Amino acid sequence: REMFGPDVGPSPLHTPPVSYGHINGLGAGLVFPDGGEVSHTHVADSLQEGVRLVQRKVDFGTAGMAPFYLDYRRRLSAAFGGQPCALSYKEEGPITTAYTLRGDAVFSDPYDEPGLFKEFLRLGTDSIVDFCRFTSRLNGEPAIDPAGGGLCDDLAAMFGPDLWPEFVVPYWEQYYRGITTGPRSVHVEDLRPDHLPLLEAVSMARYDPGISAHLSPPMIRDRCRVIFGWRLGSFHYPTLSEADIRDWVFQAAADGAGRVFTTVEGVMCNPPTVRKVQAFVRAAKEVEQMLKSGVSRTDVGRQVSEAGRRRFWSGWPDQKLPGTGAAK
């Protein structure tokens, strides 16, 4: 708060983030390398073993490391005077879950045993929904939330668009029907342009491409009607000036982004980057006011400097710079 000011919200109190709480409950081990991110073991050597794991009814509150993290949550809340503490012991989407259990074999399963693979995905999605309901109960939230629901499924990007109607879309639909009656959002990185129309097949309301080197805002805008965000990554900041960041925000908005966002990481907690983040916030607020007052996105784009247009165009498609693919 002292460093960035009131426009940058601090993270809420939460337990250490683990994306593999669900599969840990199914029997996958968690791996904690020194100085690295938590990973997991692959535990299904065959599709038959995968089906056996996901069809079991599991008490997720007592399985795996859940008791440790639930106690951690209780103690952390007490240490902060009873402040609510989020449980960051999470689940992944259907395709990522299949990968975390099966490993690289998941990429040949649709061809080798398509029928059994579909059964694996169906049962695995049921298990994910059960885990989501377990965490909803902990948080005092409805099992099926009318306010909306989200999904993270990066590994879906590694299934080509031709496989999606059979092996991705039905299980995303199953997942959303199991957790919400409201708007649907998804985070999936590294999609290709031909994936984008398929987001509409599951009535997606919001799309977060994260860092996706094969996409740009104009591509997303032109290939689907889903509202999307565009991210300025922590690794982009060292190469950009405050003026560059203003140009980036304005160009992303001109190219169709519904929102822009950035996530503060440890490497950004230094005075020069703080000023750049504040420039990002100022630019976003300026664009917001322009759009609310009726200014067109084309006119927003006219605020981008000539140097900015050249720079962000040249950064596409390899994203050595955070390009938006805007026309020259």
Side-chain angles (χ1 to χ4, degrees):
R1 290 187 182 97
E2 292 175 2
M3 185 177 293
F4 288 92
D7 289 322
V8 175
S11 173
L13 188 64
H14 60 83
T15 59
V18 175
S19 298
Y20 311 113
H22 168 239
I23 62 163
N24 182 227
L26 295 179
L30 298 181
V31 181
F32 298 90
D34 289 341
E37 295 289 336
V38 60
S39 187
H40 57 85
T41 61
H42 302 294
V43 290
D45 293 333
S46 68
L47 263 181
Q48 289 79 4
E49 175 63 12
V51 168
R52 187 190 70 80
L53 289 172
V54 296
Q55 70 183 357
R56 294 180 301 127
K57 290 300 180 183
V58 177
D59 179 357
F60 287 110
T62 61
M65 292 190 69
F68 172 83
Y69 283 108
L70 289 171
D71 184 58
Y72 197 122
R73 176 180 183 243
R74 178 189 61 78
R75 295 169 62 189
L76 195 56
S77 175
F80 281 78
Q83 180 178 331
C85 180
L87 181 67
S88 294
Y89 181 74
K90 298 291 186 179
E91 74 290 334
E92 293 282 356
I95 307 305
T96 305
T97 296
Y99 171 79
T100 57
L101 293 173
R102 288 282 286 135
D104 290 345
V106 80
F107 302 118
S108 58
D109 287 340
Y111 303 99
D112 295 339
E113 299 182 85
L116 189 59
F117 186 59
K118 291 176 185 178
E119 181 71 356
F120 177 48
L121 291 175
R122 183 186 67 80
L123 291 168
T125 304
D126 279 344
S127 181
I128 296 167
V129 169
D130 284 345
F131 183 84
C132 290
R133 292 179 178 175
F134 153 69
T135 57
S136 294
R137 287 194 300 272
L138 282 177
N139 296 323
E141 299 167 349
I144 299 180
D145 193 342
L151 171 70
C152 295
D153 207 4
D154 287 336
L155 265 292
M158 298 184 73
F159 279 35
D162 58 319
L163 293 177
W164 270 45
E166 191 171 3
F167 295 105
V168 176
V169 169
Y171 307 100
W172 280 16
E173 181 67 31
Q174 178 186 346
Y175 168 83
Y176 285 116
R177 287 182 179 272
I179 68 158
T180 186
T181 55
R184 302 170 174 187
S185 62
V186 68
H187 166 93
V188 54
E189 301 201 16
D190 210 32
L191 293 181
R192 301 306 197 269
D194 285 347
H195 284 113
L196 296 172
L198 294 161
L199 295 176
E200 296 185 30
V202 282
S203 305
M204 201 63 65
R206 294 182 297 274
Y207 164 47
D208 167 20
I211 302 296
S212 291
H214 296 87
L215 297 178
S216 66
M219 287 182 178
I220 304 172
R221 175 199 65 204
D222 294 343
R223 297 301 299 273
C224 70
R225 294 170 291 179
V226 180
I227 297 170
F228 68 94
W230 196 240
R231 177 183 174 186
L232 188 63
S234 60
F235 56 90
H236 291 136
Y237 280 88
T239 63
L240 299 177
S241 68
E242 292 177 39
D244 292 332
I245 287 171
R246 183 181 187 277
D247 280 341
W248 184 94
V249 170
F250 273 71
Q251 191 65 68
D255 287 341
R259 67 186 184 103
V260 293
F261 64 103
T262 195
T263 301
V264 174
E265 301 176 17
V267 295
M268 297 165 62
C269 294
N270 56 76
T273 309
V274 168
R275 291 192 291 272
K276 293 176 184 180
V277 171
Q278 291 168 340
F280 177 93
V281 173
R282 287 195 301 272
K285 286 184 173 182
E286 188 176 349
V287 170
E288 181 182 38
Q289 289 305 311
M290 292 175 71
L291 294 175
K292 283 183 176 179
S293 68
V295 175
S296 70
R297 289 181 181 262
T298 299
D299 286 339
V300 169
R302 292 194 176 102
Q303 301 295 314
V304 179
S305 72
E306 182 61 32
R309 283 192 288 272
R310 289 196 305 270
R311 185 172 199 192
F312 295 131
W313 178 267
S314 68
W316 173 253
D318 60 12
Q319 288 208 345
K320 292 176 183 176
L321 296 172
T324 67
K328 291 182 181 178

